[in-house]
Structures are given as structure tokens and as C-alpha cells.
Amino acid sequence: MAAEMTDGIEKFADNTDAQVPSNPSFPSGDQTVWADVSPLLQLASQDLHDGELIHGENFNLFAAMSALEIMDPKMDSGIVSTYCSVDEAIEKGAAPVPLSFNSTIDIQCTIDIMDHLLACEATWHKGHSLAQTVFSCIYLLRPDRISSHALLHSYCMVVRVTCNAVVSAVSDARTNEEEDLFTMTYGLPLKGEGDEKCLSILHAVDETISRQLRASKAPSTKRRVLEDIEPLQTNADLEGGLCKAVLCRLRFRKHFYHVLTCMRRPQGKGLELARKHITSCLSELDSMLKLEEFLKCKSICRTVKDATDDETTASGCQPIGFDFSLNSRLSAPTPPRAIKLLSWRKAVDYFKKLLHDLEVICSYTLDPVLEVVLRFVVAFQKLHPDLVARAYLQLLLVQEGKLYGRDPVFAMICKASLLPDTVKNHDLQKNETIIQLGQLLTNLLRILCTNSAWQRRKLGKILQEWRIVHAQLELAFRKEYGDISNTSNEDVGMNICSYILIWVEEQTYWIATRFLTLGFELELYSPCDYCMVYWYIYVILIKLAERTHIKMMRSNENSRRKGKKKRDSVKDGAKDHQIPPAVSLLQCQICLAEGLVMMLAALRNEYNAFQSVGPFNSEHERFLQHFELLQKACIPDGVSYVSFKETINHARLSTSSTYNCFKDAQRTAKELRTSYSNDPEKLNELRMIEQVAEHNVVALNLVRHLGTLDPSLKVYFEFSHHPHFASAVVKRS
Amino acid sequence: MESNKKNTNQEDKKEEAEGLQEGSEIEYVSYGGEHHLPLIMNLVDQELSEPYSIFTYRYFVYLWPQLSFLAFHDGKCVGTVVCKMGEHRNTLRGYIAMLVVLKPYRGRGIATELVTRSIRVMMDSGCEEVTLEAEVTNKGALALYGRLGFIRAKRLFRYYLNGVDAFRLKLLFPRPEAHQHQSIMKLGFGTYELGSDQQNEETSAE
Ligand SMILES: CC(C)(COP(=O)(O)OP(=O)(O)OC[C@H]1O[C@@H](n2cnc3c(N)ncnc32)[C@H](O)[C@@H]1OP(=O)(O)O)[C@@H](O)C(=O)NCCC(=O)NCCS
């Protein structure tokens, strides 16, 4: 079909070539002339039937998918829209000002709008476009219309200002690679006149309503004295409750805006204050929830539908003044679809969660030690924070290329390499490769703040960069200081270099470990891949432990050498040979990983379990795919599918080594408890390791003793005790 | 057309399914032209949530008719697969765009047979790998592709408009040279030898 059509066009074009009228405003180029295509199209249109197309070379999948079938309600959102434009909607009374001439209804409707906006805002944070959520509010689209309605005006203003603050935080953080929709604000009135006065306006409204609330509480005898205060609305029975409902909503907005601005003060200087505002926000949200019943039953109801769980207002009434289809043309690259808003309750829950996440950030100590920073970010990510919270964390961590906008990156690198404080002003910091390393490090911090799916992909990619910077550092150092492996040399510069190199290696293995373990959280591995994944983790962890150990030993050595005279040398020596707790903890994990590799391998070898046999490829291809990025970057050097196969080929359930791996992990974890007695996070990790080891020992024994007798026994792996070390469960199938 | 579809009630479906059990064969055919297009569109429209325009279907079936297959039972189209292939970062890569089997006909290996046929053609055409996306909640599809050897290469955050994450699934075909994986760097931590000649030696040795 497509070919036929093109032929037709070519033929036709030949005939008409002669009578081309020229277009004066756009001159013809060397290769092009202007031609009137209308006769051509007319002719062609008789040939082309409904649903047919002419296939041009640049017609790609995206173009095909972006095509709309007009009047198909599944695709053409235009046919479901009620109005053609905002003006038409207003003309037809979709967003009246005031909302009602009955002042009670007017206030109730205003509260509904506030609630619905909150639902919209949460839905936006959760990944829908601003245009289809918050800016489906006609009042927000035409702010001047409501300047006479002080309450609605101030509320809309603070919502707009807040959205603007959030958009700029997220775009500044640039963590939102996959979440572009979030910062798409094209064509929306996100900035309004007088926005800077937002807080004072809000304050004034707050003051008035507070007075109205006080007046409503006063006994009727005293009311006369307060006569000059006009009530919020005319129904005296509802006055107190409505004042309260409005006040907690306004105050929530005020404090929330404060939280956002405080958190953006440089060097984390506003965190303390932000925490106070977070506390206030949470208590206002609670007040909102407490007044839900009041609003539900006291609504002189306009359009209460049957109560369901997905109402977007506390009262359960439909808000007026919203039309999601108005903006749909601005909202998305693909044909716009109807979206489902979060309910008001869910929106409140969302904001609670957001505020708790922000509170965690605000309570952070701004520790200058990289290891502490990394631990904090990783722990924070376990809370599954949404985009906004992650963006604020990232903005706190990296400001103007410095940690917290305060500590230079080179100082951070020196600390991480366990170099003495004195070197942090060394000339080396001006070295180009060191500067590059600094950028890699700040980039790493940024990446760790992104959603885990995106994060894992980015981590995989930067492994290569870390590997290359390591090679470049080596070259650069050698050029400057000669052979760096000669540690006896006392040259300060050289000493620094070898320390930094060890740390770069350690950090690279840390990234690789995070890359691999995130795969479990993202459910990327199937059980038949566990064996090779644990094997790779095992190999990487050994390297990581080695580097950490070397780094710590050297630093000990150094400080001892520099320390005054020799003290009790025997005691000193003993201390030296002790394995640092950080390394022992890694050893626990190494044992677990090794145990799992051997257990899985034995099950494969003896029971034919956990094997993957597809018709098109083999396990080798799975290995290449899972570890492609690590292999490309030679992390670690010299491991391959062949080495994996060699390790597992002879694994048998009867050998005691598997059993011993788990036993060792368990024992070491127990011993380590005292070293980490005041570190709850590490204690928790130790406890989880013990549990995994214990369960696997039990399972192993069961299979060993019953396996051959009872063929119906099956082994499953679950992550019930640790997020990435599996526990075996034996069940009858 | 519309009303016919809606009138297919439970009983009809039962009959169809029973007919299948009695041994009437499923016939698999490669996309054969314009008359197949409405069959494909109907199936996909019924079973997948994403609406596709006719242009999307045409895009696939006109450019890669050899990669699309239909399954017929007693003259009725009960399943289809639609695919494409093309250059991706200097490799030829196949892509499975749509796969659907009518509900009463599921669980009988029809989908497996359909994709298997497409994948074979891709392999024979020189593709190095095959990819697709599936919702993380689509247990059936994930199990099916898992058994064919696909791995979950990536998780795509909120990939679909409904806010659900997707997995990018990949199937790598064996390559003769793949068994000596080539690295861009032949340098390990701790070996302090970095020389371009070393690198050249290694690559030319293969
Ligand atoms: C996915 C789909 C095409 C499968 O069709 P099918 O013909 O039933 O698939 P098969 O019979 O070839 O199934 C092969 C294997 O897949 C797995 N599988 C298929 N459906 C499954 C389900 N609902 N739950 C668990 N596993 C399932 C099984 O392992 C099955 O093998 P088994 O029956 O021997 O256990 C069909 O369910 C469908 O049309 N779904 C809606 C559209 C869709 O989701 N398409 C995929 C988009 S990526």
C-alpha cells in the first residue's frame, strides 16, 4: 500500500513540475523549489482511504503512537472536554465568584476547593502533570478574578507559590530524569503579581478568622462588645467549626511553605527552624482530620454522592471550579488521558509521609565523613521517599560543589582516605584528575538520591568512570612522584596518592555492591540467577573488605609512626593485628554470600533445581547480561563466567563447608555486637545476618537429611530476614 | 463488529474452549496482508489497556510483516504477536510490541508458540538481542518470558500512564565471540601497568 502511494506521488509531481508558483517570502534554495501541493493532495486523497498512511522515512514509532484518532473517546480527550477554553468555562458559570451568595455555602465550597487542591497537589507529587492536577483549578488559572475573595485568593496564592518553590527545587536538583512531567510548567501561570507578599496576606486572613473564631466562642452577652467583628458566615451554629476548619488549612499551607524555604537556606542553616514548622504542619493536618466528621455532616449538602473512599474533599462534596480537560493540551507529550486523583485522605497521608521524610533530613547532623553521608542516604532511601523529599536531600548534600555547601570535596576525599587533617590544603587538590574525582564523588551523592530504579542504572554507568579516573590518577601520580608502590618513601605527596588510590578502589567496590544489591530490591533477579548473583557479590565484597582493611591498617601505621615514642610495643602489635569491626562486618556478609552460592550450587548439581534452560540461550548469556557493566569496567579484574562455573561445579550438600560459612557468619555477627553496641543501625544489620544464617543452617540440615528420602520437598528462597540475603525455606510441594 | 464482540457470552466461550480440548488444531500464520489487520487490532484493543491508533499497527505490520504472527482456531483469530527490529547502538535488536491471547484460549502454550516464532525470525535475521517492556504486575507475561530465557535488565520507574513500573526484559542470543568478553580496559586494580600496547596485544590475540 505504502509503495503504491509513493509511486502515485512521484508520477504526479513530474507532471506538475512546470507550473510552480514561487513564494516571495521564502526563496527557493539550491535544491528546492516551491510548489503548490493542493492539486496533488486532492488527487491523493481520493486514493487514500480512512486509516491508510503514506510511509515516509522519518515516520517512526513515536510519530505513529502520537497520532490521534479523532472522535475516538479512548484517545481523543478533546471530545470529552466540556469547555473549549477557560474563558468559556467562566462565562458558563463553572467558577463563580463568590462561590455562593449564601455565605455559609460560600465558605463550605471554599473549603472543598482547598481540599481538592490538596488532593491535586499530592497527585502531582506522585507523578502526574501539574496542568492536569493543581492547574485544573479555574480560580488558579485566573487569579485576578478572586482578588475580592480574600480567603480563596490567599489560599490559591500560597498554593501557587508553593508549587513554584517545589518545581524550582526539583529542577535545581536535577534528580528527576525520569520524572520530567513533574517540572513541565509550560503555559501555566505559576508566578503571579504580588506573590512575594503571600505570607503577609495569609497572615492577615489568619488574623481576621482567628478573631471571628474568638467571637464565636464568646457568650452571647459579650457578643455585643465584639459587634464590630463580622462573622465568617451567617450560620452561628457552624461558625466555630468552619473557622477552625479554615484556619487549620491556612496554617498548614503557611508552615509548609516555611518548611520549604527554610530547607533551602544555604549550608543547612534553616534545618532547625524547618523542623519546628514540620511539627506545626503535622499538627494542622491532624486538626484537619479531626474536623472531617464535622464537615461531612454539617455540609448543607450540595452534591454529596454516595460515600466512597475516593472523595477528594473532607466534606465528601464535589468541589466547584475544576476542569481537568481544560489544560490537557499543555500537559503531556502523548495523547492526554484522564487521570485518577488521590482521595483527600490519601493526600493527607501523602503529606504526612512527605513531612516525616523531610524531618529525617532536617534531623541529620551534616557529618563531614563520607562514610556517614553514604550510610545516611542509603538508610533514607529505605524509607521509599518520593521525588520531592529526595530532591531536598540532594540539594542539602551538594551545594555549589561542596558537601552541604560547606566542606570542600578534596577535604572529604582526604577524610575518606583516612589522611591526616593537615594534608587537606595540599597542592594536589589543584590537580586536574583530582578535581575530576571530586566531580565523580558529588555526582555519586546526587545519584544516590534518585529513585532506586534510575539509581541502579546510573550506578552501573558510573562504575566505568570511577575505573577510568583510577587509571588516570595512577598515571598522574606516577608522573609526579615516581613509583608509588614504594611505600617506604616518606614523601608527603606520594603518601597522599597511595592513600587516595586505595580509597578510590574501595569506593568503586562499594558502588558495585550497591549496584548488585539494588537488583534484589527492584526484583530484577529470578531464583535461577541467585547463584551467580551471590557469587558476584561474594567476589566484590572480598575486594571491598581487602581495600577497607588496607586503608585502615595504613592509617594505623601512620598515626603510630607519627605518635610520640613507642609505647608498649606488644600491646600495640596486638591492636594492629586485630581486624577492624568494619572489615569483620564485611566478612559476615562474605560468609553469607558464599554460603548461599554453595547451597544454591549444590541444589543445582544434585537436584537440578534453580537451573535456567531456555530454548534460545544458555546461562552464560544471562551472566553476560546481568554483569555486563561490571565486566566492561573490569570490576573486579579477571572474573568471568568460567570462574563462576569453576567455583560451583563441585558443590555438594554433603560437604561441610557450606554449613560452616553460615556458622561463621553467625558467630562473627554475634561477636561484633559489642563493637557496635551504640550503633542501632549496625546492630540491626548484625541481627538480620544472624537470622539469615540461622535459617539457612536449618534448611540445609533438613535437605541434607530428608532430601533423598522425600522427593516432594522443595526449597524456596525468601527475603524475610534481610533485603538482599535470602533465607531458604523447605516446603512440601 | 462491536456488538458481535459483546455478544460473545460465557457459553460461547466455553464451547470454544471445549472445542479446543477436543483436539482441533491451532493454526499459526505469518502476517499476510490487509485482511489480517482488523483481526490484530480487535484482539489487542480487547485485551490491552493502552489505546493504539491504526497508524501504530500499520507502522509495525508494514515494516516487519515477517515478525508478526496470528493464531487461528477454527478460522477464528485467537492470538497475535506484533514486533519490530532495528539498529540500536550498532547492534540489530528485536522488539516485541504486543502479545495477546484471548482469555478462553490462555494457558495452552499459544502465546509461547507465537513469540517463539517471532524470536526465531529475529535470530535468523541477525539480531543480537530481543527486548520488550512488561508491567511489573503482569505475572503471566513475566513468567512466560522468563521461561524463554529473558532476564529483567532494568526496572523503569512509573513507565506506564497508570503509574505502574515496568521491567525491561532482554534476551541475548549466543555469539561465538561472546565467550571471550571484550572489555574496553584490560587493566585491573593493583596492576599498575597501563599501556596502549598491552591493550592492542590482547585484542589482536583473539
Ligand atoms: C500473557 C499472555 C499473552 C499469555 O498467553 P498464553 O497463551 O496463556 O501463554 P502460554 O500458554 O504460552 O503460557 C506459557 C507460560 O507462561 C506462564 N503463564 C502464562 N500465563 C500465566 C498466568 N496467568 N500466571 C502465571 N503464569 C502464566 C506459564 O509459565 C505458562 O506455562 P505453563 O502453562 O506450562 O505453566 C496472555 O495472558 C494475555 O493475552 N494477556 C493479556 C495481554 C498481555 O498482558 N500481554 C503481554 C504484554 S507484555
Side-chain angles (χ1 to χ4, degrees), chain A residues 51 53 61 64 69 126 337 453 457 464 467 474 478 509 522-523 616-617 620-621 625 634 637, chain B residues 52-56 58-60 152 155 158 161 167 170-172 174 179 184-185 187-189 192:
Chain A
L53 81 149
L61 182 56
E69 277 181 71
K126 281 285 192 183
R337 316 271 156 86
R457 273 142 69 191
Q464 193 117 325
R467 202 64 187 77
E474 261 184 346
R478 206 142 25 118
Y509 290 127
L522 297 170
E523 299 171 88
F616 297 106
N617 62 12
H620 189 179
E621 278 72 37
Q625 284 179 285
C634 296
D637 195 38
Chain B
Y52 296 110
S53 76
I54 186 167
F55 304 110
T56 305
R58 283 199 192 281
Y59 169 78
F60 287 109
R152 302 171 181 184
R155 192 175 176 117
R158 286 199 198 126
L161 285 165
F167 286 122
K170 279 193 186 181
L171 175 78
L172 180 70
H179 294 260
I184 58 131
M185 281 193 306
L187 169 86
F189 285 150
Y192 295 148

Side-chain angles (χ1 to χ4, degrees), chain A residues 7-79:
Chain A
D7 283 346
I9 290 169
E10 274 160 14
K11 248 179 273 149
F12 191 73
D14 284 345
N15 297 340
T16 46
D17 223 0
Q19 348 142 6
V20 177
S22 67
N23 184 320
S25 51
F26 291 98
S28 312
D30 285 346
Q31 313 282 320
T32 54
V33 283
W34 281 103
D36 181 1
V37 293
S38 354
L40 169 93
L41 287 180
Q42 224 152 39
L43 203 77
S45 68
Q46 289 158 20
D47 244 349
L48 200 61
H49 300 288
D50 197 16
E52 294 182 352
L53 81 149
I54 301 171
H55 179 247
E57 279 208 12
N58 57 353
F59 184 76
N60 55 19
L61 182 56
F62 184 74
M65 303 266 291
S66 312
L68 279 182
E69 277 181 71
I70 298 170
M71 303 312 285
D72 177 349
K74 245 176 156 183
M75 272 181 243
D76 184 359
S77 66
I79 73 165

Side-chain angles (χ1 to χ4, degrees), chain A residues 86 130-131 134-144 156-157 159-164 167 184-193 195 327 330:
Chain A
V86 181
L130 196 55
V134 177
F135 280 89
S136 64
C137 177
I138 298 171
Y139 295 106
L140 261 177
L141 289 167
R142 291 281 188 280
D144 346 323
C156 283
M157 195 172 206
V159 167
R160 183 176 60 233
V161 171
T162 305
C163 288
N164 201 24
V167 166
M184 269 201 354
T185 56
Y186 175 75
L188 299 175
L190 208 56
K191 293 195 178 95
E193 236 172 273
D195 278 356
N327 273 312
L330 295 175

Side-chain angles (χ1 to χ4, degrees), chain B residues 48 99-101 106-112 133 138 140-141 143-144 147:
Chain B
L48 294 186
L99 170 68
V100 173
V101 171
R106 290 188 192 167
R108 293 155 208 273
I110 297 177
T112 304
E133 291 92 31
N138 192 342
L144 185 158
R147 286 162 43 126

Side-chain angles (χ1 to χ4, degrees), chain B residues 8-24 73-74 76 104-105 108:
Chain B
T8 319
N9 57 29
Q10 282 309 108
E11 237 151 73
D12 288 345
K13 280 185 187 166
K14 239 184 232 157
E15 262 171 44
E16 284 166 1
E18 274 161 13
L20 188 71
Q21 274 166 348
E22 275 158 27
S24 27
H73 175 250
D74 279 349
K76 180 183 168 175
Y105 295 86
R108 293 155 208 273

Side-chain angles (χ1 to χ4, degrees), chain A residues 251-252 255 275-285:
Chain A
R251 287 176 184 166
F252 166 73
H255 289 298
R275 277 179 78 175
K276 293 203 177 107
H277 286 295
I278 289 174
T279 312
S280 307
C281 275
L282 288 168
S283 91
E284 299 301 340
L285 284 176

